[in-house]
Amino acid sequence: MASLLPLLAFLWTAAATVLPHSNTVLVSSTAPSAELANCLRTSFYGTYGGSSSTQEHIYLPNEECLSDKSSLNGLSSGSLVPLNTDIEGDTGRLVWVGQAGVEPKEIALQSIDDAWNTISTRSQEILLQSSSSDFSAQKVLGSNQGQSHNQDYSQPIQLLHQSPTSMLLHVPSTYLPIIDTLLPYHLVPVALPTKPLPASLGLMVNEWEPVPNKFAKHLANVTKHLRFSPEIDKIVSDGIEHNQIRRDVRWLTGEAPSGIESRHSFTKGALKAANWIKEKVEATGAYCHLHQYLVGFSPNVICYYPSSLNSTEHVVLSAHYDSRGSFGSTRAPGGDDDGSGSGHLLGVAHAIHTQGVKFEKQVILAFFSGEEQGLLGSHAYAEHLHGKNTTILLQVQADMLAYHAPGEPLQLGLPESIHLPEASYLIGNLSQIYSPELLVGKTAACCSDHQSFISYGFPSTQVFERNGWIADPYYHNSGDLSQRENYDFEQIVSIAKITLSSLLTVAGYQIESRT
Ligand SMILES: *[C@@H]1O[C@H](CO)[C@@H](O)[C@H](O)[C@H]1NC(C)=O
Ligand SMILES: *[C@@H]1O[C@H](CO)[C@@H](O)[C@H](O)[C@H]1NC(C)=O
Ligand SMILES: *[C@@H]1O[C@H](CO)[C@@H](O)[C@H](O)[C@H]1NC(C)=O
Ligand SMILES: *[C@@H]1O[C@H](CO)[C@@H](O)[C@H](O)[C@H]1NC(C)=O
Ligand SMILES: [Zn+2]
């Protein structure tokens, strides 16, 4: 399989997805609670936005639903947006674009209108370039294997709806692989699913909560019974190794001689990274496979450690190994975003091996791609796990762990919204026990891969490098290297000790032999 991948990855064909059968998008502040009309709950496409005050819930109701006025009774507000009929039968995606969580004063001059102008201007540049005979993926992404192609970029990206902080776009399949390159650095895309989210989610409570209550209760109980364990402390302190994480991060960024210039999901560098990660984690006793979810995108790397008790319950730790650079540059080292999270996962895998850990439940380490184009890899994987009725007790995404502003203490940021609070409480309490040097707080940093898991009702949260806004001056920039001021490997180590302790605590373990 591995030998076919390089071929598959550069065909640059349309993503095999279709738009849902609806002519209207409904964007509302009302969540799909039990009081909402059934035809809306069954046409729910997700919750978007990292700040609870500006969160938007998106529905794609059919005509029958909309023709019955009573369907809209339960909504406190909303906008109905027609989907242009020209895009019917097209293979593009609806993509929400919103604030990543960069400090507002840093971006004060950028209104959402300016952002749309940027997207239009940049996509017109692509259209112009694509008509020239030497246009190739190289120009945009620096993929030194991208085939020359005359893809049709004439179907434009459409702005369907905008709020003061976000946009809803229709992105034709030709633009989807490069949508990240068209956005201002402080905006991030989240692609809508291609079919409605399961309507069964969140119905057992009045207040809408996507994650079933039994998982919240389980994690609350785990937190309540937490005690310092000298054995866990020893495993995480001996197992997580600073030097190894630094070496691995620098291989991924190309600061060490790996030949990787970019890990953008459509580059050769991303494929190289995927195969390298697979081998590294397999060497720690895991079983890994490459999950190819969309033609042309580098695959997710999914690794699991089997349960020593034949348990069907899972605990998932993840990061994204793809990267995003500056507009106009083909370099995308992604040292912090998310080389730090990926390096941290490799550190956890290494510790599992050297400390002889065997888990009682199944443990999955997932390295996603397509995150920068709208959480595409994690969404495909979470949808797959949901389709198999997989039981997940906890899922934690690690995205950007290394940077804190000058003079600030080591920190751990937990999500302000888009998380299961009980999952965050557990991580916060584990931090105080095993990495007390970290100042625990909240962050508005938005829209990483745990959102895909929350959408499918899994108990998830994220670990982030800072309390408050994103402060990294090299965020989504081609200068995102690890050899720079305030890129702090100590902080990655401290956070890795927490996520490993969460695996040991929630999955249960025995020690077999130390190597
Ligand atoms: C809560 O956790 C404790 C300690 O792990 C366990 O003994 C107990 O059965 C749990 N209670 C519930 C309701 O799951
Ligand atoms: C797990 O299942 C396998 C095969 O079904 C069986 O041979 C083994 O004894 C089981 N192990 C435990 C701990 O139940
Ligand atoms: C998952 O569960 C649903 C409902 O309990 C059932 O209808 C479906 O067949 C199950 N799917 C799989 C793959 O087990
Ligand atoms: C620890 O857990 C409790 C809930 O059991 C929660 O209120 C508290 O905020 C948590 N502490 C941290 C630092 O997350
Ligand atoms: Zn990221």
Side-chain angles (χ1 to χ4, degrees):
M1 177 168 183
S3 63
L4 280 176
L5 279 165
L7 286 174
L8 276 178
F10 293 105
L11 289 176
W12 193 286
T13 55
T17 50
V18 283
L19 282 172
H21 300 292
S22 171
N23 294 321
T24 311
V25 185
L26 167 65
V27 182
S28 174
S29 60
T30 307
S33 63
E35 298 95 81
L36 211 56
N38 197 49
C39 69
L40 288 180
R41 280 197 290 102
T42 54
S43 62
F44 175 55
Y45 277 74
T47 300
Y48 300 86
S51 145
S52 33
S53 59
T54 58
Q55 269 192 348
E56 296 168 311
H57 304 278
I58 299 184
Y59 304 84
L60 274 79
N62 60 22
E63 277 172 51
E64 196 187 337
C65 183
L66 289 173
S67 63
D68 177 2
K69 294 291 172 241
S70 69
S71 300
L72 303 181
N73 280 347
L75 294 170
S76 59
S77 73
S79 308
L80 286 169
V81 186
L83 270 175
N84 187 330
T85 45
D86 286 357
I87 63 185
E88 230 173 78
D90 165 88
T91 55
R93 293 283 285 260
L94 297 177
V95 176
W96 178 91
V97 171
Q99 304 299 320
V102 173
E103 179 136 30
K105 68 171 193 266
E106 299 280 328
I107 49 173
L109 300 173
Q110 275 270 3
S111 71
I112 212 74
D113 289 325
D114 294 337
W116 170 243
N117 287 337
T118 303
I119 296 169
S120 317
T121 309
R122 290 178 180 179
S123 52
Q124 271 156 31
E125 268 179 52
I126 302 280
L127 173 60
L128 281 175
Q129 286 177 31
S130 69
S131 61
S132 83
S133 59
D134 69 336
F135 179 75
S136 74
Q138 244 159 318
K139 290 259 166 74
V140 186
L141 302 172
S143 170
N144 47 9
Q145 280 228 295
Q147 296 181 0
S148 280
H149 57 92
N150 289 306
Q151 278 279 345
D152 184 7
Y153 288 88
S154 60
Q155 188 190 350
I157 297 175
Q158 286 184 42
L159 175 62
L160 300 175
H161 178 254
Q162 73 180 78
S163 80
T165 56
S166 71
M167 290 178 259
L168 184 65
L169 306 179
H170 172 259
V171 180
S173 56
T174 42
Y175 283 105
L176 189 63
I178 53 168
I179 184 66
D180 56 313
T181 67
L182 307 178
L183 303 177
Y185 82 101
H186 66 281
L187 294 182
V188 287
V190 182
L192 269 64
T194 53
K195 47 182 194 285
L197 293 171
S200 57
L201 298 175
L203 285 187
M204 61 291 291
V205 274
N206 287 332
E207 184 95 348
W208 185 72
E209 167 56 68
V211 182
N213 202 242
K214 63 178 175 183
F215 295 106
K217 280 192 175 149
H218 173 253
L219 291 176
N221 187 47
V222 173
T223 304
K224 190 173 145 200
H225 290 87
L226 267 190
R227 299 286 178 274
F228 174 80
S229 155
E231 193 174 48
I232 289 180
D233 191 51
K234 182 165 168 49
I235 295 168
V236 301
S237 303
D238 293 354
I240 302 294
E241 287 179 30
H242 184 129
N243 289 344
Q244 179 241 333
I245 293 177
R246 192 180 53 213
R247 251 194 331 269
D248 289 350
V249 168
R250 290 191 176 159
W251 194 93
L252 288 169
T253 59
E255 288 164 281
S258 59
I260 291 178
E261 185 191 5
S262 168
R263 302 188 311 280
H264 185 285
S265 297
F266 254 64
T267 60
K268 190 184 157 201
L271 262 187
K272 188 169 190 175
N275 286 301
W276 181 78
I277 289 168
K278 178 174 182 282
E279 277 178 29
K280 296 273 294 181
V281 183
E282 276 171 345
T284 69
Y287 298 88
C288 301
H289 69 274
L290 300 177
H291 173 211
Q292 191 80 55
Y293 55 89
L294 268 184
V295 174
F297 283 80
S298 63
N300 293 330
V301 186
I302 307 296
C303 298
Y304 77 99
Y305 298 90
S307 155
S308 60
L309 300 178
N310 287 351
S311 169
T312 57
E313 295 175 320
H314 297 69
V315 184
V316 183
L317 275 191
S318 59
H320 70 90
Y321 73 88
D322 67 314
S323 65
R324 169 172 164 183
S326 319
F327 179 69
S329 169
T330 55
R331 180 90 171 100
D336 189 21
D337 185 9
D338 186 20
S340 61
S342 303
H344 130 284
L345 273 192
L346 293 170
V348 166
H350 178 78
I352 290 168
H353 182 58
T354 61
Q355 305 306 301
V357 173
K358 300 286 171 209
F359 293 106
E360 294 181 346
K361 304 194 188 300
Q362 302 199 43
V363 165
I364 296 176
L365 302 186
F367 301 77
F368 296 121
S369 61
E371 197 268 358
E372 302 290 5
Q373 291 75 40
L375 317 181
L376 297 172
S378 58
H379 191 99
Y381 187 57
E383 185 180 20
H384 165 80
L385 293 176
H386 179 266
K388 290 202 317 179
N389 293 338
T390 307
T391 302
I392 297 180
L393 299 178
L394 175 68
Q395 189 266 340
V396 183
Q397 165 80 354
D399 193 356
M400 298 173 70
L401 306 182
Y403 186 87
H404 54 76
E408 288 183 348
L410 302 184
Q411 289 163 73
L412 171 68
L414 296 166
E416 204 174 282
S417 59
I418 311 194
H419 66 145
L420 177 69
E422 287 78 3
S424 300
Y425 296 150
L426 172 61
I427 298 297
N429 280 267
L430 285 168
S431 177
Q432 292 182 324
I433 296 175
Y434 298 109
S435 293
E437 65 279 14
L438 294 172
L439 181 67
V440 181
K442 290 194 175 201
T443 178
C446 180
C447 315
S448 193
D449 292 313
H450 61 296
Q451 178 165 345
S452 302
F453 285 79
I454 289 283
S455 291
Y456 285 93
F458 294 124
S460 304
T461 188
Q462 177 192 2
V463 287
F464 180 72
E465 63 199 7
R466 192 166 180 269
N467 306 165
W469 306 106
I470 295 172
D472 186 350
Y474 289 96
Y475 177 58
H476 290 163
N477 186 292
S478 297
D480 182 8
L481 299 164
S482 76
Q483 281 159 301
R484 58 183 168 101
E485 257 181 278
N486 301 305
Y487 187 108
D488 193 340
F489 279 101
E490 281 309 322
Q491 188 170 282
I492 304 181
V493 167
S494 293
I495 297 176
K497 286 166 67 178
I498 303 168
T499 56
L500 175 55
S501 76
S502 77
L503 289 184
L504 296 164
T505 303
V506 179
Y509 68 95
Q510 291 101 33
I511 298 299
E512 285 226 323
S513 62
R514 288 172 197 268
T515 58

